[in-house]
Amino acid sequence: MRKTRGFLLIGSLVASSGPFSGGAAAYDGLVVKRPFTLASYTTAGGRTLRGVRVGYETYGSLSPDRDNVIFIPQPFSATSHAAGRYRPDDAEPGYWDEIIGSGKAINTDRWFVVSADTLANLNAGDPDVITTGPASIDPETGHPYGLGFPPMTLRDFVEVHRALLDWLGVGRLHAVVGASMGAMQALEWASAYPDRVARVVAVAGTGETDAWMIGQINSWASAVRADRAWNGGSYYWARDRPAAGLAAALRMVVLQMRHPSWATATFGRRWAEAGASPSLSLDNRYEIEAWQDDTAMALARRMDANSFVLMCRALQSFVVGGASLEDGLRRVRARVLLVPVASDLLTPPQHLHRVQRILEAAGASVTSREIAGEGGHADDVTRIGSVAEDIRAHLEGSDRRSARTSAEGSP
Amino acid sequence: MRKTRGFLLIGSLVASSGPFSGGAAAYDGLVVKRPFTLASYTTAGGRTLRGVRVGYETYGSLSPDRDNVIFIPQPFSATSHAAGRYRPDDAEPGYWDEIIGSGKAINTDRWFVVSADTLANLNAGDPDVITTGPASIDPETGHPYGLGFPPMTLRDFVEVHRALLDWLGVGRLHAVVGASMGAMQALEWASAYPDRVARVVAVAGTGETDAWMIGQINSWASAVRADRAWNGGSYYWARDRPAAGLAAALRMVVLQMRHPSWATATFGRRWAEAGASPSLSLDNRYEIEAWQDDTAMALARRMDANSFVLMCRALQSFVVGGASLEDGLRRVRARVLLVPVASDLLTPPQHLHRVQRILEAAGASVTSREIAGEGGHADDVTRIGSVAEDIRAHLEGSDRRSARTSAEGSP
């Protein structure tokens, strides 16, 4: 079964056919990617876009009262594809398949899980991604937006997803559960719509991007901009694409998602090719370099350079609530489970510890459970199974609205 | 007084005029940069270069017995300029001026300090640097070597400096003292010439470059190579230089030399320009981005991209002794003072702790003293004053040749 891209008329905020027609929303092991279209959307920065589309997919069945919905915002380099397979012969399921499905921690026998692409999703060249971003055609000009596309914030991602859930007829969310940039959106959701979010699970991520992260992300974005083929963001009609700059940026990203202990255990100082000593020729590589290069190139092939640059800025701009982290978190009324990753060098555990302290001081219900290991930031996916039961318990716990529940754990 | 570049005939391994003529070698507050020339040098990889030149400078006076020499190999992005000023109006003295000079920890009233540029020094465009590297003219072709210049190892740097010291008539060194890549060379010196090195002070650095560092450095070098103006290393005759790629690499380097706590304390989330919110335009920047950009551009202006790429490979290739770290360190007979930097994320303290364990197991005399603080790797220079007295004591301690002295401290 090949996925067929649906088509919704622009402006069909409530489609008469409904998003659940055809039974495709039930999670039967094959996942259907669907588009959601907004006639117009005005960004937090005040720029209006027409005909905004983002993709979404669902697992499980919506209850008659529409009160069993768990929303999953996407991580930075990922898509809506959190679980299951689009096609029987897909090599890999979605990134969190280990915890989403029938009988799993996010139990699709019980919960209706909605997972969505963001605006300006990096993977604009992936046929399974539906996103409006710099590579999309600007209906005003008939040409790709390029950097005419406005800078985004994570709040913009939340707003478009809120419109999606409105359109699905879903009011209050049982939970918002996300990893990394998904965790950041989950916290933003709980701050922006305190009465609509009953629970949050934030795995890795941060409450605000600090100076160090801003600088690291500047290094990423600058590597793209240093590629002349990027040409100030105008390359869609050019023969050459800024693939080299994008790959240079992604070489940093894929490494920084890991940890020195993981790198030593996985690669050590081995050469990529027997007999080809890197100390004798620049053409020879270490094994970790070959892994970085190959992983980065593969990612770069489906990514759009301008989307990458805009997404970098969205990450840099992030503070829960948009101004002060304390003010942003004070609005949260959800029960929050924070899952810092012990060996995370991209968003070290201290970030979520700080979120916990602020939430506790504000009297919110917050618990934490760390993912142990030495895999680095990537353990938010690779070792998610180690906290599956904590996530299950958090989701299946009673839906008390008290904001005075004392914390069950602390960092 | 402006520095005058001296000239030595190729092949003058022992110059009849001698390197100390004219009294310029005495450290009188103004430093003279001098060239050292080797008629030919064959690299560890087996490639022969003709007419190799590196610069050196000295502080203090050589004793009649030539037994008071401290050698300072240079850090990665630095030069031989460890102390003093070349000109009265120089804005800054050498990087370790705080500990090198009359009465200071490395007391030039007592020690004759020799500090030298490496081959392929990054700062090929700095008029105070003397180095043979990819930007130098290949006497065989009359054109710049470019990537015809052979890959280097830190052992090559040591060998050229050994030839310099031979030429200066200096046999046994009282000490080799270095920071970062200088510390790595100091350990290499002690392994390669155990009978010539009485003491080592290694500030930051490592005994071998691990997988994580290899990957980080791959990110740096790849950013240079992603700039089309780099053109596979052939750009010396071109109108455009790969300055953008080099700056992209240096944006990473300058940040990774620091630490998140330093970044937060120094910049926080402040904007570079009041009223110019980075969330509204890609043209607006955070203050830390402006610092990164400006620092990287300034460095890039005097650096050569091919030298950068080759120096990256030299760092990646580094293991004391060239094969196994254990075997390399087992040869060391010097008394070693290790100075890990607590907040170092580039060469974390664990690296020197491992060196200490191996040296201790081999029965070597080794002590350690950590530089506290939150400045990151850069504290090897900015906070060197905090360990000045430890360095002084190590240098002024008795010159026992026993290799069985028990360690005075451990990590």
Side-chain angles (χ1 to χ4, degrees), chain A residues 107-181:
Chain A
N107 188 350
T108 51
D109 300 337
R110 183 164 180 176
W111 313 118
F112 180 63
V113 180
V114 181
S115 183
D117 294 328
T118 61
L119 294 173
N121 181 290
L122 298 188
N123 305 285
D126 178 342
D128 289 322
V129 165
I130 305 171
T131 187
T132 299
S136 307
I137 301 298
D138 179 353
E140 308 277 351
T141 66
H143 298 295
Y145 284 100
L147 288 190
F149 200 81
M152 298 272 115
T153 65
L154 269 57
R155 178 60 182 263
D156 289 310
F157 302 165
V158 168
E159 289 303 317
V160 170
H161 293 155
R162 182 193 55 76
L164 162 65
L165 291 161
D166 286 347
W167 175 70
L168 292 174
V170 174
R172 185 166 163 84
L173 293 164
H174 184 75
V176 184
V177 182
S180 191
M181 195 180 80

Side-chain angles (χ1 to χ4, degrees), chain B residues 33 55-59 70-74 79-83 95 113-117 164:
Chain B
K33 184 83 174 248
Y56 71 98
E57 57 196 87
T58 66
Y59 327 112
I70 293 179
F71 182 67
I72 314 248
Q74 63 146 83
T79 72
S80 68
H81 199 36
Y95 61 90
V113 180
V114 181
S115 183
D117 294 327
L164 162 64

Side-chain angles (χ1 to χ4, degrees), chain B residues 323-339:
Chain B
S324 106
L325 180 58
E326 285 74 11
D327 289 347
L329 289 175
R330 241 193 301 272
R331 293 173 50 85
V332 172
R333 299 183 64 193
R335 301 180 64 205
V336 177
L337 171 62
L338 301 173
V339 185

Side-chain angles (χ1 to χ4, degrees), chain A residues 13-273:
Chain A
L13 255 177
V14 178
S16 60
S17 63
F20 311 121
S21 60
Y27 180 54
D28 61 0
L30 285 185
V31 174
V32 177
K33 183 83 174 245
R34 293 168 171 274
F36 164 65
T37 304
L38 264 177
S40 82
Y41 173 70
T42 301
T43 69
R47 294 272 305 278
T48 297
L49 296 164
R50 294 201 298 125
V52 167
R53 289 168 95 228
V54 294
Y56 72 98
E57 57 196 87
T58 67
Y59 327 113
S61 300
L62 185 61
S63 65
D65 291 343
R66 303 190 172 207
D67 63 353
N68 70 330
V69 178
I70 294 178
F71 182 68
I72 315 251
Q74 64 146 82
F76 177 70
S77 61
T79 72
S80 67
H81 199 37
R85 286 175 161 81
Y86 294 131
R87 294 160 287 267
D89 58 349
D90 281 354
E92 296 288 339
Y95 61 90
W96 260 2
D97 194 74
E98 190 175 357
I99 56 165
I100 301 173
S102 174
K104 297 180 185 177
I106 300 178
N107 188 350
T108 51
D109 300 337
R110 183 164 180 176
W111 313 118
F112 180 63
V113 180
V114 181
S115 183
D117 294 328
T118 61
L119 294 173
N121 181 290
L122 298 188
N123 305 285
D126 178 342
D128 289 322
V129 165
I130 305 171
T131 187
T132 299
S136 307
I137 301 298
D138 179 353
E140 308 277 351
T141 66
H143 298 295
Y145 284 100
L147 288 190
F149 200 81
M152 298 272 115
T153 65
L154 269 57
R155 178 60 182 263
D156 289 310
F157 302 165
V158 168
E159 289 303 317
V160 170
H161 293 155
R162 182 193 55 76
L164 162 65
L165 291 161
D166 286 347
W167 175 70
L168 292 174
V170 174
R172 185 166 163 84
L173 293 164
H174 184 75
V176 184
V177 182
S180 191
M181 195 180 80
M184 293 152 76
Q185 290 168 79
L187 292 169
E188 183 69 21
W189 256 104
S191 173
Y193 296 101
D195 292 328
R196 265 181 97 157
V197 180
R199 286 170 196 74
V200 162
V201 180
V203 183
T206 180
E208 76 174 357
T209 301
D210 68 359
W212 182 257
M213 280 180 69
I214 292 172
Q216 298 277 14
I217 296 167
N218 182 37
S219 295
W220 305 349
S222 297
V224 174
R225 290 193 294 248
D227 186 338
R228 277 158 209 232
W230 181 64
N231 190 30
S234 298
Y235 53 79
Y236 294 104
W237 304 124
R239 196 161 37 106
D240 285 333
R241 295 296 186 96
L246 194 49
L250 291 162
R251 265 185 206 91
M252 299 179 229
V253 176
V254 300
L255 189 69
Q256 289 170 2
M257 286 182 67
R258 292 301 194 161
H259 185 270
S261 299
W262 174 88
T264 293
T266 309
F267 302 107
R269 290 185 45 85
R270 285 194 302 276
W271 303 344
E273 206 179 318

Side-chain angles (χ1 to χ4, degrees), chain A residues 75 96 177-187 200-208 213 256-257 315 318 320 336-353 355 368-371 376-382 384 387 391:
Chain A
W96 260 2
V177 182
S180 191
M181 195 180 80
M184 293 152 76
Q185 290 168 79
L187 292 169
V200 162
V201 180
V203 183
T206 180
E208 76 174 357
M213 280 180 69
Q256 289 170 2
M257 286 182 67
L315 273 185
F318 178 65
V320 171
V336 177
L337 171 62
L338 300 172
V339 185
V341 170
S343 60
D344 189 344
L345 296 177
L346 209 50
T347 52
Q350 291 75 15
H351 285 252
L352 289 186
H353 295 170
V355 168
S368 76
R369 175 73 159 77
E370 190 172 79
I371 294 179
H377 185 83
D379 279 349
D380 65 350
V381 169
T382 55
I384 192 66
V387 294
I391 293 173

Side-chain angles (χ1 to χ4, degrees), chain B residues 6 31 53 135 146 152 174 194 210 248 263 274 304 358 400 411:
Chain B
V31 173
R53 289 169 95 230
M152 298 272 115
H174 183 75
D210 67 0
D304 172 59
I358 296 171
R400 287 166 297 163

